[in-house]
Amino acid sequence: MKVTSISRKLLSRVLSLYFLLTLIVTGVQIFAEYFNAKSHINSELLTLEKTFSGSLTRAVWELNTQQAIDIAEGLVAIPMIKGIKVTDENDQVITQLGEIGEDTAFNYESATNINATSETQNMSSISGRLFGHTFPLIFEFSGRTTKVGSVTLLSSNEVIFNRIEVGLYFLIGNAMVKTAALVFLFTLAFNKLLTAPLNELTEQINQLDLDDPEASKLHSMNFEKNELNILEDAYNNLIDELVQFKEKLALAQSEILSANQRLDEQNLLLEQEVAKKTSSLSTTMLKMEMQQRELLKQQDQLKDENNRRRQTEHTLTHTNKDLKESVLELNKAQERLLSAEKMAVLGSLSAEVSHEINTPIGVSITSTSYLSDALEKIKEEISGQTITKRGMEDFIDNATQSIDLLMNNLTRASDLISSYKQVAVDQTSDKIRQLNVAKYVDEVIQSLHPKLKKTTHSVKVNCPDNIEMYVHAGAIAQIVTNLIINSIIHGFEGRHRGEIKIDISYHNELLHMKYQDNGVGVPQDALPGIFDPFYTTKAGQGGSGLGTHIIHSLVTDTLNGKIKATSAEGEGLTFDIEFANMK
């Protein structure tokens, strides 16, 4: 494999970059010298213009062609001038000398002569070899100026190169000398600082003795702290680790020998154990043959058992079908029971309301009879002309009291009938309608007044008056009715002053109802089944066990809401109900 020297590669790259920079700098200096010399020649052409323009102008004005030719020949004799062309005011050539011809094309650039009233045009040939400028010949006479012709002076790049030739040789020689010196210095520095130390390190590394690695450590004569010293330290550290590894390897080899001895002992023990196992295996094979025979007998018995179970499965399939039909009948019966329970509550309310209406109706009839008797009496006194002022005043007072009593009792009866009518219609209808929640809950509680009047319990409702929403009114009435009746029958059993609180709030199209009583509560172990069908604490005492189940069904199915019951035994029962506006 061919080895590439790092120092030679690095030196070649550094010197290549230096050669490129030197070439660029030398080229820039050459171009600068060229343009500087060209600028000086242009300045000298302007000086010649100032020197000979007067005599040329007079010669052309006086039509002295020979004088103009002599002046032109004198200018061409100057080494810097390579060509001259003199024309009159009609651009007719008077004389044309030097390196200029009719087929030479020029580029023109206007430039103002600060010492003359005319404009000068700098020019260069398209081929780039000739350059110069053209200036007009202006003759002044009696304060008037007249252009009598123009002169073109040309120089060439040869003139420029002749002037900068020595400087170019000096620049190129200087660059070559500096480059050679730099190559020599860089070569010495790389050999001393990189190549020689690397060769020394390589020679010492090649003398590595694996049997005595400690003696193969590197010892360089370089006292400077550089990358080579870091490489030397790393190699020496590797040697130290190799020595440690050899010690560990020797220890591991001794442990392997000891393990091999123990393994031989274990092999001997295993051979003895295999012999024992072989004998026991023969005994086991005999036992397995006997077990196989037993398994064949059991297999025959299993086949008989499978046949018996198939028959049983066929019987169970028919029984399962009968059970499904029974479950469907039970579901229908449960639905009928729920409807019957709702109607039972409504019937109970009807009886209570009917009994409650009897009192104001009876009082109204009595007041009407008394008022009729008083009217007959006052008619007789008027007919017999025995009426007195005091008698008339007594009649008016008694009639007013009777009418007030009649109006109050009839109004009370009307309110009871209206409340019961609205609640009864809603409970038998699934219609969704808009209602004022506070007003409607008051109507429901008003319809329960006959039942509440028989107790000392109280109902407190905390509900804003401005809650308007679309909802199943019948479901609301049934829920509130069942909750209050459930508290009266079960919660306040054995208590005389029960208190029911109903807190209602409305936020983000959701109505939240918190129903709470201070009754006996429900034990924690019974709370998870409170909404199950037929769950009751009055089993055998007239409780159907469907009250809370109906409430749960109305909230979750009819109102698409959520209900949660919480309680601690002896501290009352709380229901949290939440459902959305059904608009």
Side-chain angles (χ1 to χ4, degrees):
M1 180 177 178
K2 185 179 180 180
V3 178
T4 302
S5 173
I6 296 176
S7 60
R8 182 176 299 172
K9 190 173 182 179
L10 183 61
L11 180 62
S12 64
R13 291 187 179 182
V14 171
L15 293 178
S16 298
L17 179 61
Y18 176 77
F19 289 155
L20 180 62
L21 290 176
T22 302
L23 184 62
I24 292 172
V25 171
T26 304
V28 170
Q29 289 179 335
I30 290 172
F31 276 107
E33 288 290 335
Y34 170 80
F35 286 110
N36 186 40
K38 186 175 182 179
S39 177
H40 281 295
I41 291 173
N42 281 326
S43 299
E44 292 176 7
L45 290 177
L46 290 175
T47 302
L48 291 174
E49 172 193 345
K50 296 174 185 177
T51 303
F52 294 98
S53 62
S55 57
L56 276 173
T57 300
R58 180 167 295 277
V60 173
W61 172 258
E62 294 176 354
L63 300 178
N64 191 346
T65 303
Q66 185 59 44
Q67 183 181 358
I69 292 172
D70 293 340
I71 295 173
E73 290 176 349
L75 288 173
V76 170
I78 299 173
M80 177 183 67
I81 303 299
K82 293 297 181 179
I84 184 171
K85 179 180 179 181
V86 181
T87 60
D88 58 15
E89 71 271 15
N90 296 321
D91 291 331
Q92 296 296 321
V93 177
I94 298 174
T95 180
Q96 180 173 298
L97 303 173
E99 298 179 5
I100 186 169
E102 295 297 334
D103 56 346
T104 304
F106 293 92
N107 291 324
Y108 293 91
E109 179 182 352
S110 297
T112 303
N113 188 345
I114 59 174
N115 296 322
T117 59
S118 60
E119 186 180 74
T120 303
Q121 288 186 330
N122 293 328
M123 57 190 296
S124 62
S125 66
I126 294 180
S127 62
R129 192 175 67 85
L130 298 177
F131 65 91
H133 69 278
T134 299
F135 58 91
L137 297 176
I138 306 298
F139 182 75
E140 293 185 7
F141 179 73
S142 300
R144 295 172 59 187
T145 60
T146 303
K147 179 180 178 181
V148 297
S150 63
V151 178
T152 299
L153 297 177
L154 295 177
S155 185
S156 68
N157 290 335
E158 296 176 1
V159 177
I160 298 175
F161 288 130
N162 290 333
R163 291 195 177 187
I164 65 173
E165 183 178 2
V166 177
L168 290 179
Y169 291 150
F170 177 77
L171 285 175
I172 294 172
N174 183 35
M176 292 176 65
V177 170
K178 289 193 292 185
T179 302
L182 190 63
V183 169
F184 179 73
L185 292 176
F186 268 123
T187 303
L188 290 179
F190 272 84
N191 285 331
K192 181 179 181 181
L193 298 177
L194 190 60
T195 305
L198 281 177
N199 290 333
E200 182 183 353
L201 289 176
T202 303
E203 184 178 355
Q204 293 186 29
I205 291 173
N206 288 331
Q207 295 175 359
L208 173 65
D209 185 4
L210 293 178
D211 295 329
D212 187 14
E214 186 71 27
S216 300
K217 286 188 175 181
L218 299 179
H219 303 284
S220 66
M221 300 302 292
N222 184 14
F223 298 104
E224 296 181 2
K225 293 298 291 182
N226 53 28
E227 289 81 355
L228 295 177
N229 294 104
I230 296 173
L231 179 62
E232 177 184 339
D233 294 339
Y235 179 80
N236 291 335
N237 292 333
L238 181 62
I239 293 297
D240 293 336
E241 292 178 1
L242 181 61
V243 172
Q244 296 176 3
F245 177 75
K246 286 188 65 178
E247 294 174 354
K248 292 179 181 179
L249 183 60
L251 180 61
Q253 287 176 345
S254 63
E255 292 178 353
I256 290 173
L257 291 175
S258 176
N260 286 334
Q261 292 177 356
R262 291 194 299 270
L263 187 60
D264 292 338
E265 295 174 358
Q266 291 293 329
N267 286 335
L268 182 60
L269 293 174
L270 282 174
E271 289 176 358
Q272 296 174 356
E273 187 68 22
V274 167
K276 293 180 182 179
K277 294 294 182 182
T278 302
S279 62
S280 63
L281 183 61
S282 300
T283 306
T284 305
M285 290 294 291
L286 293 174
K287 291 181 180 179
M288 287 181 64
E289 287 181 2
M290 297 177 63
Q291 290 176 356
Q292 185 177 7
R293 294 171 187 168
E294 188 68 25
L295 285 173
L296 290 174
K297 292 180 181 179
Q298 292 179 358
Q299 186 176 2
D300 295 335
Q301 294 175 358
L302 284 174
K303 287 181 180 178
D304 297 336
E305 181 68 20
N306 284 336
N307 292 330
R308 187 182 63 80
R309 289 191 177 185
R310 285 194 188 96
Q311 295 176 357
T312 305
E313 182 181 357
H314 183 69
T315 305
L316 287 174
T317 302
H318 287 288
T319 305
N320 188 33
K321 183 178 180 181
D322 295 337
L323 284 175
K324 288 181 179 178
E325 294 176 355
S326 300
V327 169
L328 291 175
E329 291 296 329
L330 284 174
N331 289 335
K332 293 179 181 178
Q334 184 177 348
E335 292 177 359
R336 290 195 293 271
L337 278 174
L338 292 175
S339 300
E341 180 69 16
K342 293 180 183 178
M343 297 307 296
V345 174
L346 188 60
S348 176
L349 287 177
S350 300
E352 298 287 348
V353 170
S354 298
H355 181 269
E356 186 70 14
I357 289 174
N358 283 335
T359 300
I361 294 297
V363 173
S364 299
I365 293 172
T366 303
S367 298
T368 304
S369 177
Y370 173 78
L371 184 59
S372 178
D373 294 340
L375 281 171
E376 288 296 329
K377 182 179 179 182
I378 198 68
K379 283 181 182 179
E380 291 176 359
E381 289 180 356
I382 291 174
S383 299
Q385 295 183 355
T386 58
I387 188 171
T388 62
K389 180 179 180 182
R390 182 172 181 79
M392 180 60 72
E393 290 175 352
D394 290 340
F395 169 75
I396 293 172
D397 290 339
N398 291 332
T400 302
Q401 292 177 5
S402 297
I403 291 171
D404 291 340
L405 185 61
L406 183 62
M407 288 297 296
N408 289 335
N409 281 277
L410 289 176
T411 301
R412 181 182 174 193
S414 175
D415 291 341
L416 284 172
I417 292 171
S418 297
S419 298
Y420 170 74
K421 178 182 177 183
Q422 184 63 59
V423 172
V425 169
D426 286 335
Q427 288 193 16
T428 57
S429 172
D430 290 334
K431 183 179 179 182
I432 297 175
R433 65 183 181 90
Q434 186 180 18
L435 54 82
N436 183 288
V437 177
K439 183 178 179 182
Y440 189 71
V441 171
D442 287 339
E443 289 179 358
V444 175
I445 295 174
Q446 181 69 23
S447 69
L448 295 172
H449 182 70
K451 184 174 284 291
L452 290 170
K453 191 175 77 170
K454 298 176 182 179
T455 67
T456 57
H457 308 316
S458 62
V459 180
K460 296 181 180 179
V461 180
N462 179 22
C463 178
D465 296 333
N466 60 346
I467 299 179
E468 300 277 347
M469 64 184 300
Y470 285 85
V471 73
H472 281 284
I476 299 292
Q478 188 76 38
I479 290 168
V480 175
T481 300
N482 282 16
L483 287 174
I484 293 175
I485 292 175
N486 188 68
S487 295
I488 293 173
I489 296 174
H490 303 284
F492 297 143
E493 183 180 14
R495 300 197 177 191
H496 298 291
R497 293 190 176 275
E499 183 176 325
I500 297 172
K501 292 182 180 179
I502 302 176
D503 295 320
I504 300 174
S505 61
Y506 187 73
H507 184 65
N508 291 336
E509 298 293 322
L510 288 175
L511 185 134
H512 181 263
M513 177 187 295
K514 183 177 182 181
Y515 178 92
Q516 185 177 12
D517 65 32
N518 61 347
V520 297
V522 177
Q524 289 294 323
D525 57 346
L527 193 61
I530 194 171
F531 295 119
D532 294 341
F534 309 112
Y535 170 83
T536 179
T537 59
K538 295 286 186 179
Q541 302 178 27
S544 65
L546 295 174
T548 53
H549 178 67
I550 292 173
I551 294 171
H552 184 271
S553 178
L554 290 171
V555 172
T556 58
D557 297 335
T558 305
L559 299 179
N560 295 323
K562 297 182 292 186
I563 182 170
K564 179 182 178 183
T566 55
S567 175
E569 190 171 4
E571 298 182 5
L573 181 60
T574 301
F575 291 94
D576 286 301
I577 300 171
E578 186 178 83
F579 54 89
N581 192 339
M582 304 181 74
K583 183 175 180 181

